[in-house]
Every structure is written in C-alpha cells, then in structure tokens.
Amino acid sequence: MKSEWEIFAAYLRKNGIRRSEQRENVLDVFLKTEKHLTIEELYFLSKKKSPEIGYATVSRAMKVICDAGLAEKVDFEDGITRFEHKFGHEHHDHLVCVNCGTFIEVRNDEIEKLQEKMAKSKGFTIIRHKLQLFGLCRECQNK
Amino acid sequence: MKSEWEIFAAYLRKNGIRRSEQRENVLDVFLKTEKHLTIEELYFLSKKKSPEIGYATVSRAMKVICDAGLAEKVDFEDGITRFEHKFGHEHHDHLVCVNCGTFIEVRNDEIEKLQEKMAKSKGFTIIRHKLQLFGLCRECQNK
DNA sequence: ATACCTGCAAATGTTTTGCGACTAA
DNA sequence: TTAGTCGCAAAACATTTGCAGGTAT
C-alpha cells in the first residue's frame, strides 16, 4: 500500500507541481497531527520548521494536499475551516458538542444505505454527503 | 395554531424589541417566498417596500427572525448563507445537486432514529443535526 | 531558461459593528 | 423620555490573489 508521501509525490509529478520545502513541511505537520487542524494552526506549526512561511503558502499547500486526496475540509459551522486526514481513513460522520467543541467520529452503515436509497428514490446519484450531529457530550450534560 | 406573525409579535414583546417597518417588511418578504433566500436576495426584495433599507438592517432582521424560531440558516457549502422557513415545517434534510444547484427536501424517520441511537451510544444528546447529500440530480445525470 | 513557488500586501466576499440621527412606545 | 433602530460606512474575518523576486528541474 502506498504511503501518503508516495501519493503526494505521484500527484505532484502528474500535475507538474514542483517540490518545495514549505509545502512538504505543511504536509509533514498535517500528517503528524491526528487532530482537525485549522489553517491558522497549520500556519503556526509550520512556522517552527519554516519560520519565514506565510499564511498564503499554507493555504495554497492545503489546497494541493486536498486535491491530492490526502486531506479534506471539515466545516463545523463555527466559521473556521478545519482539515482532516482522508487517505486511509474510511468515511465517517461527526458528533459535535456545541458546548465544548469536542467531536467524535462515527459511522453507521445502515444510515449510509438508507441515504443511498433515499437519493435513488428521488433520482439523485450521491457523490458525497455530510452528516453532522450537534449536541452535548457526556461531560457537558453533567454540568 | 399561532401564525408566524403572532409568534413574531410575541417574541418581540417578550424580548423588548420594538416593531419597525423595515423588519416587518423583511419578515413579510421572507414568509411570502417559498424559496431558500440569501441575505442579498432578501435585501433586494425588501428594497421594493423599503427603498432606503440597508444590507445591515436585513442582516439584523434575519437574526431576530431566526431567534424567534421562524427561520433557520442553511449552508450548502457554496459560501452563501440561505434561510429557510422553520415554523410549521418539520425537520428535513437536503439533496443538493452539485451541478445545477437545485435541491430537494427529504425526510427519513428511520435515519433520524438511527442517528439518535448512534449519538446515545456515545453519550451525546442531540440538539440538532444536519444531513446533506451532494450529488447529481436526474436532469444533470442525463447531460 | 522556464515555469513554478514564495512572502508580502492588498483584495475578496460576506456578514457584522460603530455611530450619530431617528423613532416607537 | 429613552432605549431600540436605522442607514451608512467602516470593520471584521478567514481565505485568496497579484506581484516581483526567488528557485527547482
């Protein structure tokens, strides 16, 4: 199985995109952090390796990384875009706590099947979907 | 059963918010349009009744209208916020065509139940949820 | 050499906020 | 009278784009 880096290299080659230290540092930071990072967080973490890096470069790097299929944007409706790992992670939905902001990734095949069925009955072909459950996590309920 | 206007009036009274022609015109436009309107659309439509109205006033009015439980923000990930009717409309999900932008409102009780179950198993209490299925509608598939 | 890439600053695009004037209650 | 509202312009906010100089291939 190909690693993220191999996929990235192949994507760059195929699209005539050059290698660059900054972009690779952004990817490295992204891959090493098992958390949904914002561009701002990626920016500050990348600064440790590339102190001169600009916000725009991080933004551009994440676009390439998303296009390469390694990352995906997530929007929890708080106005900030986060990125989650895509490669090697099967599709999942999110349970988001509206109080503390923590979230859990969940998956339910039965729901996925029903979605497919529902779309088909309306003549739609689903390309992707987004299911977010907003509520209170166990801890926040007990406060 | 209370009408939207009665609910609105009650909400204003309860929260010490005054009546205003502009706000009522925005609400009137919103209620009379069975479509997911953007602030910009609401702004232009409201201008017909209140030519001097400002964008900010429409934005502020929609906030009050949402708070009163009559409208709800919808985000189809195209960067523009739309508003849909909430009062007297039961919860539903959206099937959105990524090609032409049209959408259908759908509802599936079985999915709702499974969501509840899934959340409960993780200790979450759901307050609201959002399910969006992005794909191609019948017409766009045949092109 | 030639595109691609970079950091910076400026631009973008949508929505919100500050302000002095206005007005409903 | 007085606190909520208004329209306008400016601010806010996250992200993107233009540009002139730098760099991988």
Side-chain angles (χ1 to χ4, degrees):
Chain A
M1 185 137 140
K2 278 191 186 171
S3 77
E4 276 99 330
W5 284 102
E6 285 169 321
I7 291 178
F8 192 60
Y11 178 81
L12 296 188
R13 219 176 303 123
K14 189 176 167 190
N15 294 79
I17 300 171
R18 291 192 192 142
R19 295 183 55 192
S20 91
E21 195 185 309
Q22 289 90 331
R23 188 154 40 213
E24 296 192 344
N25 280 338
V26 172
L27 177 56
D28 188 56
V29 163
F30 172 69
L31 293 178
K32 285 189 175 156
T33 313
E34 274 300 334
K35 188 182 164 250
H36 291 42
L37 295 167
T38 63
I39 292 193
E40 201 179 358
E41 289 168 331
L42 286 159
Y43 170 58
F44 284 112
L45 290 171
S46 301
K47 253 188 176 326
K48 290 183 186 168
K49 301 184 161 197
S50 302
E52 8 57 54
I53 203 170
Y55 198 99
T57 302
V58 179
S59 176
R60 286 189 270 233
M62 287 315 293
K63 184 170 184 347
V64 175
I65 292 168
C66 283
D67 291 346
L70 300 176
E72 189 162 43
K73 286 189 176 184
V74 200
D75 175 11
F76 288 161
E77 318 213 306
D78 59 357
I80 303 162
T81 300
R82 269 162 260 261
F83 294 89
E84 67 177 15
H85 293 193
K86 189 172 183 189
F87 174 74
H89 292 243
E90 68 174 351
H91 166 79
H92 57 258
D93 302 316
H94 292 110
L95 264 168
V96 185
C97 178
V98 296
N99 187 244
C100 66
T102 54
F103 60 89
I104 301 178
E105 296 180 350
V106 288
R107 180 178 172 77
N108 184 307
D109 290 319
E110 211 174 330
I111 291 181
E112 309 273 315
K113 272 181 213 152
L114 287 166
Q115 286 174 1
E116 245 342 303
K117 196 172 137 194
M118 188 161 73
K120 195 173 281 179
S121 75
K122 301 289 181 182
F124 268 69
T125 305
I126 298 183
I127 294 171
R128 68 192 168 83
H129 74 266
K130 172 160 147 181
L131 172 58
Q132 298 176 333
L133 306 173
F134 295 95
L136 291 173
C137 68
R138 208 188 307 267
E139 286 68 38
C140 290
Q141 281 172 66
N142 299 332
K143 278 177 194 163
Chain B
M1 182 136 140
K2 279 192 186 171
S3 78
E4 275 99 329
W5 284 102
E6 286 169 321
I7 291 178
F8 192 60
Y11 178 81
L12 296 189
R13 220 176 304 122
K14 189 177 169 190
N15 295 78
I17 300 172
R18 290 193 191 141
R19 296 181 55 193
S20 91
E21 196 184 309
Q22 289 90 333
R23 188 155 40 212
E24 297 192 343
N25 280 339
V26 173
L27 178 56
D28 189 55
V29 163
F30 172 70
L31 293 178
K32 285 187 174 156
T33 313
E34 274 299 336
K35 188 182 164 248
H36 290 43
L37 295 168
T38 63
I39 293 193
E40 200 178 359
E41 289 169 330
L42 286 159
Y43 170 58
F44 283 113
L45 291 170
S46 301
K47 253 187 176 323
K48 291 182 185 169
K49 301 183 160 196
S50 302
E52 7 57 54
I53 204 170
Y55 197 99
T57 302
V58 179
S59 175
R60 286 188 269 234
M62 287 314 294
K63 183 169 184 347
V64 174
I65 293 168
C66 283
D67 291 346
L70 300 176
E72 188 161 43
K73 286 190 177 184
V74 200
D75 175 12
F76 287 160
E77 319 213 306
D78 58 357
I80 303 162
T81 300
R82 269 162 260 259
F83 294 89
E84 66 177 16
H85 294 193
K86 189 172 183 189
F87 174 74
H89 292 244
E90 67 174 352
H91 167 78
H92 56 259
D93 302 316
H94 292 109
L95 264 168
V96 185
C97 178
V98 296
N99 187 244
C100 66
T102 54
F103 59 89
I104 301 178
E105 296 179 350
V106 288
R107 180 178 172 76
N108 183 308
D109 290 319
E110 213 174 330
I111 290 181
E112 308 275 314
K113 272 181 213 153
L114 286 166
Q115 287 173 1
E116 229 10 280
K117 196 172 136 193
M118 188 161 72
K120 195 172 281 178
S121 75
K122 300 288 182 183
F124 267 69
T125 305
I126 297 183
I127 294 172
R128 67 193 168 85
H129 74 265
K130 173 160 147 181
L131 172 59
Q132 297 177 333
L133 306 173
F134 296 96
L136 291 172
C137 68
R138 208 189 308 267
E139 286 67 39
C140 290
Q141 283 172 64
N142 298 331
K143 277 177 194 163

